[in-house]
């Protein structure tokens, strides 16, 4: 079994999965859609990845504002969470994603990825940071 991490955006969903021991997160792909409201193919692809990686729960990035308030993106994320639960029957955990995009961008700069190429990776890397944050918090609560 593995855990899936998702970075849900208006046009993309970054996907990451854990290793079988729940220690590390690896980026899988970015699911792109042409229209923000067209989620059927996105959900179908997520279901395929759940089967392929034997996923038993999902960690979904929750985009709170820096002052801890919730806005429209949080509402859309909760709607997406509800869709995932209905479609997959899996537990979906909301994980604070503040600063994950900043961390992803910084990691790419340090890795020498050109600015114009970063958009091709940022969502997948943000999903890795979301999932890794969750995995680390689970490890810390066990110690």
């Amino acid at each position: 079994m593995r855990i899936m991490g998702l970075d849900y955006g208006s046009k993309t969903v970054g996907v990451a999965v854990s290793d079988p021991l729940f220690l590390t997160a690896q980026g899988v792909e970015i699911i792109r859609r042409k229209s923000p409201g067209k989620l059927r193919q996105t959900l179908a692809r997520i279901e395929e990845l759940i089967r392929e990686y034997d996923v038993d729960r999902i960690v979904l990035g929750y985009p709170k504002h820096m002052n801890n308030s919730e806005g429209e993106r949080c509402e859309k994320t909760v709607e997406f969470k509800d869709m995932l639960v209905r479609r997959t029957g899996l537990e979906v955990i909301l994980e604070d994603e503040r600063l994950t995009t900043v961390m992803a961008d910084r990691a790419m700069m340090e890795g020498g990825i050109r600015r114009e190429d970063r958009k091709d990776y940022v969502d997948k890397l943000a999903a890795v940071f979301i999932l890794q944050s969750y995995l680390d918090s689970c490890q810390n609560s066990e110690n």
Side-chain angles (χ1 to χ4, degrees):
M1 291 289 186
R2 295 176 190 239
I3 303 170
M4 177 179 280
L6 299 176
D7 179 37
Y8 173 66
S10 60
K11 292 188 179 178
T12 63
V13 177
V15 182
V17 295
S18 72
D19 67 299
L21 298 175
F22 307 127
L23 298 175
T24 62
Q26 298 87 34
V28 174
E29 69 179 69
I30 298 172
I31 303 169
R32 301 181 192 284
R33 60 188 179 281
K34 291 178 178 34
S35 169
K38 304 288 185 185
L39 290 170
R40 193 172 342 141
Q41 288 179 330
T42 298
L43 291 165
R45 179 63 184 146
I46 291 169
E47 286 178 304
E48 289 172 8
L49 292 169
I50 286 169
R51 286 188 297 277
E52 180 179 338
Y53 288 96
D54 196 23
V55 169
D56 75 337
R57 79 191 104 137
I58 298 170
V59 176
L60 178 60
Y62 195 56
K64 287 182 169 184
H65 296 296
M66 290 307 291
N67 66 3
N68 207 33
S69 66
E70 299 175 1
E72 182 183 344
R73 290 295 320 145
C74 284
E75 290 175 29
K76 292 189 180 310
T77 299
V78 169
E79 290 171 11
F80 186 65
K81 174 192 177 208
D82 293 342
M83 283 184 231
L84 284 168
V85 170
R86 278 194 307 275
R87 267 296 285 242
T88 67
L90 297 178
E91 175 185 16
V92 178
I93 300 149
L94 294 175
E95 178 75 12
D96 188 346
E97 70 169 38
R98 283 177 285 185
L99 297 179
T100 55
T101 302
V102 172
M103 292 186 313
D105 222 23
R106 187 170 295 142
M108 288 186 290
M109 279 192 300
E110 290 171 4
I113 297 174
R114 293 180 14 207
R115 173 171 299 203
E116 54 272 9
D117 296 334
R118 288 183 206 149
K119 68 182 180 314
D120 294 333
Y121 303 99
V122 70
D123 297 317
K124 181 168 53 173
L125 200 49
V128 168
F129 283 119
I130 290 164
L131 180 55
Q132 191 64 57
S133 171
Y134 174 78
L135 295 172
D136 292 346
S137 69
C138 290
Q139 290 294 321
N140 290 336
S141 68
E142 290 175 8
N143 296 330

